[in-house]
Amino acid sequence: MRRLHLLFTLTSLSVLLVTLERFSFTTMVVLQPYSFLRLHEVIQMLVIILITVLIPFFILKEVTHNFELLKTKQGTALGVLFITGVYFYATGNGAHEIASYLFNTFCDVKFFTSTLCGSMFFNDYYFGNILYFLGASLMTIPLILFERGNPRNHAQNRDLGLIIVNAVVYAIAIVAYAAFDRVLVGLVYAVVMMLIIDMLLLTAKKPWRSLPFTLYSSVCYTLGALIALLLRF
């Protein structure tokens, strides 16, 4: 459990880093030539998103028993699904960040009429976000299925507090996307993930204490989705 606790804590720190960076001076630094991006978008794409990909990789290492389970046919299929998720997650973030900068810098974000601004809006809020959330789901679900089929950790009472605290931190990030975004893409993602993960947890044949990552994910998405629904409607 020590490694999982460390990875959950690093995930919480990455969530805090995302928040702090979005309110930092980097949003005011426009890069040259041609004012192509702000420092904010570059840090998001090259540093922060990289961190949020590396952490699930090490969780993959943990739930596959040091990658041993990837050697089976089912494990290979789940591994391919995880890599596909990484690709969509990173591609979606890149599309979102670049379109967001262009749309918010060069367009009237409330009353845009040009095809160019419409394209930027769609890439920012829909295409980029849909790929990003699709990738996040394809990265998460294989980890849960690996753990569900071959659990190796067991959460003691002292572990539950740490799991819940870190899950609450991540749930706050889910609320930020799902409750306050201009469109409903984040909310739909949160609700769908809540239903899928809760179903996988409730139908597991193993005791829930032996599924700490699944439990952590369930608390993250259930809490985040329910709060977002209350705030949104």
Side-chain angles (χ1 to χ4, degrees), residues 136-204:
S137 65
L138 294 179
M139 288 167 58
T140 303
I141 292 172
L143 300 178
I144 291 173
L145 294 177
F146 274 124
E147 182 180 66
R148 176 185 165 103
N150 299 272
R152 65 175 299 180
N153 293 288
H154 186 82
Q156 305 294 333
N157 289 336
R158 63 179 180 272
D159 297 313
L160 296 180
L162 290 173
I163 291 173
I164 291 173
V165 168
N166 281 309
V168 167
V169 173
Y170 196 87
I172 293 172
I174 294 174
V175 171
Y177 274 109
F180 303 111
D181 206 6
R182 184 170 176 173
V183 299
L184 294 177
V185 174
L187 181 63
V188 171
Y189 162 74
V191 171
V192 170
M193 286 294 286
M194 174 187 72
L195 295 175
I196 292 174
I197 295 172
D198 287 353
M199 180 193 69
L200 291 173
L201 179 63
L202 293 173
T203 60

Side-chain angles (χ1 to χ4, degrees), residues 98-110:
I98 293 174
S100 178
Y101 167 70
L102 296 173
F103 178 63
N104 287 283
T105 302
F106 301 108
C107 297
D108 182 335
V109 298
K110 292 184 178 179

Side-chain angles (χ1 to χ4, degrees), residues 34-196:
Y34 307 117
S35 300
F36 72 99
L37 282 177
R38 295 175 300 177
L39 182 59
H40 161 69
E41 282 81 24
V42 173
I43 291 176
Q44 284 286 324
M45 289 187 289
L46 299 186
V47 179
I48 295 177
I49 292 302
L50 175 61
I51 292 172
T52 62
V53 167
L54 293 177
I55 293 172
F57 172 78
F58 286 106
I59 295 176
L60 176 68
K61 182 176 184 290
E62 185 68 18
V63 298
T64 58
H65 308 185
N66 202 26
F67 304 120
E68 187 66 28
L69 298 181
L70 290 173
K71 296 177 182 179
T72 67
K73 290 183 178 180
Q74 181 181 9
T76 299
L78 290 176
V80 169
L81 199 63
F82 179 85
I83 294 298
T84 303
V86 171
Y87 174 78
F88 284 141
Y89 178 83
T91 300
N93 176 260
H96 161 74
E97 293 293 348
I98 293 174
S100 178
Y101 167 70
L102 296 173
F103 178 63
N104 287 283
T105 302
F106 301 108
C107 297
D108 182 335
V109 298
K110 292 184 178 179
F111 303 103
F112 58 90
T113 56
S114 70
T115 300
L116 180 61
C117 288
S119 173
M120 294 175 191
F121 168 79
F122 190 85
N123 280 309
D124 180 6
Y125 285 97
Y126 286 99
F127 181 68
N129 276 339
I130 288 172
L131 283 184
Y132 175 84
F133 290 129
L134 175 61
S137 65
L138 294 179
M139 288 167 58
T140 303
I141 292 172
L143 300 178
I144 291 173
L145 294 177
F146 274 124
E147 182 180 66
R148 176 185 165 103
N150 299 272
R152 65 175 299 180
N153 293 288
H154 186 82
Q156 305 294 333
N157 289 336
R158 63 179 180 272
D159 297 313
L160 296 180
L162 290 173
I163 291 173
I164 291 173
V165 168
N166 281 309
V168 167
V169 173
Y170 196 87
I172 293 172
I174 294 174
V175 171
Y177 274 109
F180 303 111
D181 206 6
R182 184 170 176 173
V183 299
L184 294 177
V185 174
L187 181 63
V188 171
Y189 162 74
V191 171
V192 170
M193 286 294 286
M194 174 187 72
L195 295 175
I196 292 174

